[in-house]
């Protein structure tokens, strides 16, 4: 199985444990860029990137079925 996103470090399909990444950011462009970068990096490095970014929140679905969110994401949840 191959991913539709290309990892610019290898020019090949991304190999990642992330199935879906949703990011809340100041603009749609930033959210999309951060989500793709975090997905390609994988859960550990991707969430670390998001933690250092201006993202207001993020939710990550892993291959294992686990769901991980940045702590500041809770402010956006009902």
């Amino acid at each position: 199985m191959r991913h539709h996103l290309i990892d610019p470090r290898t020019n090949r399909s991304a190999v990642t444990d992330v199935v879906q990444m949703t990011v809340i950011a100041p603009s749609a462009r930033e959210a999309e860029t951060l989500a793709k970068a975090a997905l390609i990096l994988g859960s550990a490095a991707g969430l670390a990137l998001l933690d250092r970014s201006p993202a207001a929140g993020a939710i990550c679905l892993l291959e294992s079925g686990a769901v991980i969110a940045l702590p500041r994401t809770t402010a956006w949840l009902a």
Side-chain angles (χ1 to χ4, degrees), residues 16-76:
T16 179
D17 62 336
V18 179
V19 174
Q20 179 183 347
M21 181 67 75
T22 302
V23 175
I24 302 166
S27 72
R29 181 181 304 191
E30 285 178 85
E32 183 69 14
T33 302
L34 288 168
K36 283 186 179 169
L39 187 146
I40 289 170
L41 288 171
S43 60
L47 288 168
L49 168 76
L50 293 173
D51 196 38
R52 297 185 310 268
S53 78
I59 298 175
C60 176
L61 173 62
L62 302 180
E63 284 180 330
S64 67
V67 177
I68 303 171
L70 290 179
R72 60 185 178 261
T73 308
T74 57
W76 294 91

